[in-house]
Each structure stands twice: as C-alpha cells, then as structure tokens.
Amino acid sequence: MGRLVDGVWRDEWYDTKSTGGAFRREDAGFRHWVTADGEPGPSGEGGFAAASGRYHLYVSLACPWAHRTLIFRAIKGLEAHIGVSVVHPHMLEHGWEYKPAPEPLHGYRFHHQLYTHVKPDYTGRVTVPVLWDKERDTIVSNESAEIIRMFNTAFNAITGNHDDYYPEALRAEIDAVNAEVYDRVNNGVYRCGFATTQEAYEKPYHELFTTLDGLEQRLSRQPWLCGDRITEADWRLFTTLVRFDAVYHGHFKCNKRRIRDYPALHRYLHALLAVPGVRETVNLEHCKQHYYYSHRTINPTGVVPLGPEPLF
C-alpha cells in the first residue's frame, strides 16, 4: 500500500486522521477516452482511436474496479484485440507488483513505474485498472467506470459485437442506480473496512445493508437492476457481490448478512456468473490472498482464511 508524491514512491496507508476516521477515495488521475474515430471523448484529449492490438490493460484479479474491465473485455469480444497483464495479488511495501515476470511493454516490476513513465512528478494513489496506449506510449485512463464505457462502444466496428450495456433509453435509470450502488455498496464496503473509528464504520455499515435490502426487494420483482436486460449497472454491482462472502463479510466487518442469505441477490449473482466468459474472470483465491495478506493494518498476521465454501 502506498502512493506517489512528486514521482517518489511512499509506503503509507490511507490518511484517516484528517477525516475523523473515514475512508475517502481519490479521483482517477488519467481521464482520456478511446473512441471509434479518435475524436475527443467526454473528458481528456483526442487521438485515441480504436484499433486492434493498440491497447493493453493492466489489472488485478482481486480488485473489483479492475474486474469490471475484464468482464467488458470478455463480453464485448475484445480478448483478441486488447492484451492484459495481471499484478501479483500481494500488495506490500512497493504497491502492486509484476512477479515473477515483469510487465511486458517496458519490463517494469512495480506498477507505479508505469505512472512515472507517463508523468515523472505524478502525485496520487497508484491504482488498477490502467488502459495503456502502446502507440503513444502513455496511459489512456485509470478510471474503470469510463474504461467500461469505451469497451462498450468504441470497438464495435472491429469486433462486430454491438451489444449495448448503456442504452440511451435507460441511461438516466442506470446512472441513478450506479450512483447509489457506488457510494453505498461498491465503495461502501471499503468505507466500512478502512474506517478507523467506530462512528466512521457504523454509518456506512448501516447504509450498506439498507441498500442491499432494497436491492433484494428490487431483484425480487425483476431479473436485472434496470428491468428485463443486463446493463452496465448489473456488472458494476456484480464485482462487489462476488467478493462479498469471501472477503467483505469478514475482513471488512460487513457481517450482518452474507449474499447467500439474500435469495434474490444470490440467484442474481449466479445468473450473472452464467453469462458466457464471465466465470473465467473470477478468481476468489486472488481476492482472498490480496485482501487478507496485503492489508496488514487490518489483518496484521497476514493469515488468509480457508473458507467459505466456494460460490461455484
């Protein structure tokens, strides 16, 4: 765990003293877009045109944010067009590492070296995923929510896959669901787990389970979050749900209920796992190794639990 300050790596935990014990996530530092024709996207500069073999994705199999991008790479038929490198699950004093072999484009061992390759004086957290442009030798984006939207449409002419997980008619509803799920579920489990005071922990804990209860009711009435079709909102929720019982329930003290205790959410989780290509993106052993072994502030012994029973 750590961050870059003026391009220098520092091994330091999140600063919760200045926030009264609460965890606050930093915004992504790179926000360019790949578009079909290279024209500017919603943020950043232009010049990033979709092309087979031009882009490379750096991920952790443990990270739910990176997992989103792996899912879209699979379901949008991009695996033959966008390469991928996976960090080691243990994130210790040097942050994310590539081992035993270095990453393939520059031979770097540490993920933070990719950030300073692009911006030598970079200040901020060093996160996955990272979408890299091999042609311009730079980071396109490290914002997962935007990378999945690039994957959703930018490469359609190359793959012939026109499945749309952010259809125009449902965008307002998807955005509203995303906002609640991000704050109270995706990031909510981290707000519980990284809190360093009782008060800072209890508020997101109650918000998390109130929201899960509401999602259970919603999914008791309909198959997917926004009705009769799978959308981006479902995949954004899925990556937290699939880790919940194995990691967040115990490690992050989100222990009021497990996902398998919610009939509709449990059914929904397995329905998403059954989508072709998705199950292959899930690696719960990486998840457990990363969270329990790496977060020494939370689990000082580094002992990784053997349970629970596998989801599938």
Side-chain angles (χ1 to χ4, degrees), residues 187-203:
N187 200 43
V189 293
Y190 285 87
R191 291 168 60 213
C192 293
F194 287 168
T196 55
T197 67
Q198 190 70 28
E199 183 180 11
Y201 158 72
E202 289 185 5
K203 183 176 186 294

Side-chain angles (χ1 to χ4, degrees), residues 195-255:
T196 55
T197 67
Q198 190 70 28
E199 183 180 11
Y201 158 72
E202 289 185 5
K203 183 176 186 294
Y205 175 93
H206 292 304
E207 291 176 349
L208 167 65
F209 284 98
T210 296
T211 304
L212 288 177
D213 290 346
L215 293 170
E216 172 72 7
Q217 294 176 12
R218 187 186 189 105
L219 292 166
S220 297
R221 300 189 301 268
Q222 59 194 48
W224 312 112
L225 290 177
C226 296
D228 294 330
R229 62 185 292 180
I230 300 175
T231 68
E232 168 192 294
D234 297 296
W235 296 122
R236 287 174 51 134
L237 175 60
F238 169 81
T239 60
T240 298
L241 296 186
V242 78
R243 288 160 173 76
F244 197 95
D245 291 5
V247 175
Y248 304 139
H249 180 270
H251 185 58
F252 278 178
K253 307 177 186 70
C254 301
N255 57 359

Side-chain angles (χ1 to χ4, degrees), residues 33 65 68-69 143-150 232 236:
W33 281 70
W65 320 100
R68 300 173 176 181
T69 64
E143 174 49 70
S144 65
E146 295 173 1
I147 293 172
I148 65 174
R149 290 192 180 172
M150 297 176 214
E232 168 192 294
R236 287 174 51 134

Side-chain angles (χ1 to χ4, degrees), residues 10-83:
R10 293 185 181 178
D11 178 24
E12 59 185 31
W13 189 252
Y14 293 99
D15 173 21
T16 57
K17 290 183 179 179
S18 64
T19 59
F23 167 67
R24 291 183 184 168
R25 189 176 297 278
E26 293 182 11
D27 290 337
F30 297 93
R31 305 286 290 275
H32 307 304
W33 281 70
V34 175
T35 57
D37 54 8
E39 291 299 307
S43 62
E45 62 185 72
F48 299 97
S52 180
R54 176 172 172 175
Y55 299 97
H56 194 79
L57 187 64
Y58 293 95
V59 301
S60 161
L61 300 182
C63 171
W65 320 100
H67 192 183
R68 300 173 176 181
T69 64
L70 282 177
I71 290 171
F72 270 75
R73 178 175 173 264
I75 63 177
K76 288 293 296 184
L78 289 167
E79 290 166 309
H81 304 283
I82 298 174

Side-chain angles (χ1 to χ4, degrees), residues 15 22 33 35 38 53 81 88-89 91 97 111 116 120 136 155 180 196 269 277 293 300:
D15 173 21
W33 281 70
T35 57
H81 304 283
H88 195 276
M91 183 179 66
E97 292 187 51
H111 189 59
T116 52
R136 296 178 62 174
F155 296 84
E180 181 179 24
T196 55
L269 174 59
Y293 189 83

